Amino acid sequence: MFLSKSGYVRVWSCPKGAWINKYHPEAVPRDESRQARFRQGDEVGDLARGLFGPYVNVTAEKEDGQLDLAQMIENTRTEMEKGTEVICEAAFSYEGLYCAVDLLKRDGDGWAIYEVKSSSDGTQDKYVADVSYQKYVLEHCGIKVTGVYLVSINTDYVLGPEGLDIHEFFRFNDLTEQASREQAATVPGMLETAERVLGSGEEPAVELTEVCRDCEFFSWCTRELPVPNVFQLYRLSKKKMVEYYRQGLVTYEQLEKAKVIKNATQLRQMDYWLRDKGVYAEREPLKAFLGTLTYPLYFLDFETMMPAVPFCVGTRPFTQIPFQYSLHFIEKEGGALQHREFLAESGKDPRRAIAEALCGDIPADACVTAFNKRFECGRLRELADTFPDLADHLNAIADHIADLLDPFQKGWYYRKEIGGSFSIKSVLPAICPDDPELDYHELEGVHNGTEAMSVFPMIRDMEPAEQERTRRNLLAYCRLDTLAMVKVWEELKRAAGL
């Protein structure tokens, strides 16, 4: 059996997930969010290599671009014998168990393990499992391990004008004692589990729990359930989902018959699906809400990025940085729909430029709408705090934002096609099902916010033609978000009889 440290952590997290990853790799999500996490991890890992001064990276590749594990192991042995102080990707193998240590640092007559994570929490159980496995492998290879440390991101760090200080950016977590306990108590048994599960072509039976709802293999593990089911009810807690599932209350029919659902929105969701009902609309609340919207009427949507490594002075790791917006607007009742947009230059701090553009495009006293306004308001307030000279205007925009999500969350509008999510990606196809120009799937390159935040920082390193194409894709995506809001507003007006 060959088992890497990532494979070990998969088994530790969920043996079934590890089995799926091996025998059904097509079930592993290949979305942009996953790739973005890998890129972020690589960026943080590369940065951490300089924590202890000069180092040697023993990574080796074959002609096909795959890692040459045997050569990495040999390179590691060579560097250790030479007396190299810091070795990156130090590779070891023991009876099919393989691991590459992010940073292996000489410590007296032994070596210290440093595992780097692009996370702000260095104490998660899965990280302890990770380093415990590494310690197990190294010690069985005859290496004296003097300490085990998790290098994580210090989210209290603020980037100053002098540039990034990696010694302040990173935080060290001493996991030596925890790793020793875990190694003795868990690793041997987990290795037996790995050999049994991964050595068999038979899918292991694992009972669904609350954490399964967020697992990347949840769709696989529930593929035989009828659709819709209990896991698709609007805002039903994970605890209740699993509780009802274990009671055999899976379908809407079963849930309705058992009378366990009390929430009005959830009851309506089941009722409209089971009886194939049309549109539910409460006219008076909708009229009252729409009556608060005045002309000129604006529809605003931001796109942001959350860099793990801050590059904007005064920001912390994972700060939301707005780099783009789309703005549809109508100046007067019956007026033409107009559009403006902003997309910053990749690789530069976009905040001042986007703040000035917002103040130029939106009057301070205008009525602005957003879909889930807390997000847009948050970004506006942050820009106001950053640029005091623009604060009055930016805060005024935030003060006048109405939320188009309210009619859905408050139960004034519903139709069965919306299902259990009131995101704009669920609402738009429900109210405009047959228009390819309003189909996010028809967009090129960028189809959601995760893809937008992932691709924008990459533009700076693209060739000019690709840069232009990617910028067009970003603009088209963000434009559809605010056009979708316009369509929602129009549908709410029809439902209210206006």
Side-chain angles (χ1 to χ4, degrees):
M1 176 185 70
F2 173 84
L3 186 68
S4 66
K5 66 178 180 179
S6 59
Y8 174 84
V9 174
R10 285 194 196 98
V11 174
W12 177 89
S13 300
C14 176
K16 186 172 183 177
W19 183 90
I20 297 169
N21 186 77
K22 177 177 179 179
Y23 289 99
H24 290 277
E26 74 280 2
V28 179
R30 305 295 180 185
D31 56 19
E32 179 55 36
S33 62
R34 181 185 179 89
Q35 300 306 316
R37 289 195 301 272
F38 290 153
R39 288 193 295 270
Q40 179 176 276
D42 290 343
E43 180 186 15
V44 172
D46 290 346
L47 195 62
R49 290 175 177 176
L51 279 169
F52 304 113
Y55 62 87
V56 173
N57 181 7
V58 297
T59 300
E61 294 184 352
K62 300 178 182 179
E63 291 183 0
D64 62 1
Q66 298 296 310
L67 290 177
D68 189 336
L69 305 186
Q71 186 61 55
M72 289 176 64
I73 292 170
E74 180 59 33
N75 291 348
T76 300
R77 182 182 298 112
T78 299
E79 294 301 328
M80 294 177 74
E81 292 174 352
K82 285 170 55 177
T84 300
E85 290 292 318
V86 181
I87 305 172
C88 298
E89 301 301 322
F92 301 87
S93 180
Y94 169 74
E95 295 186 353
L97 307 179
Y98 171 82
C99 74
V101 179
D102 289 341
L103 295 171
L104 187 67
K105 183 177 181 295
R106 186 179 295 277
D107 183 23
D109 61 347
W111 297 83
I113 294 172
Y114 290 84
E115 174 70 11
V116 182
K117 298 295 183 185
S118 57
S119 165
S120 60
D121 181 2
T123 61
Q124 294 183 42
D125 289 344
K126 65 179 180 180
Y127 296 158
V128 176
D130 187 327
V131 295
S132 301
Y133 171 81
Q134 294 182 54
K135 185 172 182 289
Y136 178 93
V137 173
L138 265 66
E139 289 185 342
H140 278 78
C141 288
I143 308 301
K144 180 180 179 180
V145 177
T146 59
V148 179
Y149 305 92
L150 198 293
V151 183
S152 59
I153 294 174
N154 175 16
T155 52
D156 293 327
Y157 173 75
V158 178
L159 181 67
E162 67 281 356
L164 188 73
D165 183 341
I166 61 171
H167 298 285
E168 294 294 327
F169 173 72
F170 286 108
R171 175 184 286 131
F172 292 87
N173 307 271
D174 188 343
L175 300 182
T176 306
E177 290 187 11
Q178 291 169 267
S180 296
R181 290 195 300 269
E182 178 81 6
Q183 179 183 343
T186 306
V187 174
M190 198 58 62
L191 292 177
E192 291 179 3
T193 299
E195 188 168 10
R196 183 180 69 254
V197 171
L198 300 181
S200 170
E202 183 177 351
E203 182 173 353
V206 177
E207 189 173 274
L208 289 178
T209 66
E210 292 178 37
V211 299
C212 294
R213 192 65 186 87
D214 297 321
C215 176
E216 60 183 349
F217 297 120
F218 181 75
S219 295
W220 172 276
C221 293
T222 57
R223 66 193 183 281
E224 296 181 357
L225 294 183
V227 177
N229 57 61
V230 63
F231 293 105
Q232 294 161 328
L233 276 180
Y234 174 71
R235 286 194 171 180
L236 183 65
S237 71
K238 296 172 188 175
K239 181 179 180 179
K240 286 294 184 182
M241 286 178 179
V242 173
E243 177 184 327
Y244 295 150
Y245 169 78
R246 290 178 178 174
Q247 293 174 11
L249 304 178
V250 178
T251 67
Y252 287 1
E253 292 92 335
Q254 292 166 335
L255 290 163
E256 188 178 70
K257 184 177 180 180
K259 298 183 179 179
V260 293
I261 302 298
K262 307 299 181 183
N263 177 274
T265 302
Q266 295 165 0
L267 287 170
R268 184 175 300 120
Q269 181 184 345
M270 294 191 304
D271 179 38
Y272 271 58
W273 179 269
L274 291 172
R275 291 161 187 85
D276 196 22
K277 293 185 177 181
V279 175
Y280 175 86
E282 295 184 19
R283 286 195 168 192
E284 292 310 312
L286 286 175
K287 285 181 181 179
F289 169 78
L290 293 167
T292 65
L293 307 182
T294 58
Y295 294 94
L297 180 59
Y298 290 78
F299 302 83
L300 174 65
D301 179 73
F302 283 122
E303 298 303 327
T304 64
M305 55 182 168
M306 297 174 61
V309 181
F311 69 96
C312 299
V313 173
T315 64
R316 292 179 167 84
F318 306 112
T319 296
Q320 293 267 14
I321 306 294
F323 62 84
Q324 177 181 9
Y325 68 77
S326 174
L327 189 70
H328 275 90
F329 63 100
I330 304 171
E331 292 185 338
K332 60 183 180 180
E333 186 169 3
L337 180 64
Q338 301 181 63
H339 181 250
R340 290 176 185 161
E341 59 193 1
F342 173 89
L343 178 57
E345 182 179 348
S346 179
K348 295 184 177 180
D349 185 343
R351 294 173 298 167
R352 180 72 194 189
I354 198 171
E356 291 179 346
L358 284 163
C359 292
D361 284 345
I362 305 176
D365 59 349
C367 179
V368 181
T369 67
F371 206 89
N372 189 14
K373 75 173 187 178
R374 189 162 69 174
F375 181 79
E376 270 67 30
C377 286
R379 307 294 77 76
L380 287 163
R381 304 288 189 201
E382 290 160 0
L383 289 171
D385 289 342
T386 303
F387 305 111
D389 60 316
L390 303 177
D392 288 347
H393 196 132
L394 293 167
N395 281 322
I397 295 173
D399 290 340
H400 291 88
I401 292 186
D403 200 336
L404 286 175
L405 181 60
D406 282 352
F408 300 92
Q409 288 191 331
K410 293 181 178 179
W412 301 335
Y413 181 96
Y414 187 75
R415 58 196 307 161
K416 77 164 191 175
E417 293 84 1
I418 292 176
S421 170
F422 294 157
S423 73
I424 196 73
K425 305 295 191 300
S426 296
V427 172
L428 180 62
I431 64 176
C432 302
D434 301 317
D435 189 338
E437 293 187 0
L438 300 175
D439 188 343
Y440 284 94
H441 296 95
E442 294 295 323
L443 293 171
E444 180 182 348
V446 180
H447 309 87
N448 54 58
T450 300
E451 292 180 358
M453 74 162 56
S454 299
V455 75
F456 175 73
M458 299 167 63
I459 293 177
R460 63 182 177 183
D461 299 319
M462 296 176 180
E463 295 297 322
E466 188 179 3
Q467 285 185 341
E468 181 60 28
R469 181 170 59 254
T470 304
R471 289 181 65 87
R472 286 199 306 269
N473 294 343
L474 281 165
L475 292 170
Y477 165 69
C478 198
R479 178 183 181 278
L480 181 52
D481 267 350
T482 51
L483 182 58
M485 292 164 57
V486 174
K487 297 300 180 181
V488 168
W489 169 68
E490 292 174 345
E491 173 64 15
L492 293 177
K493 286 203 301 178
R494 282 192 291 271
L498 298 176

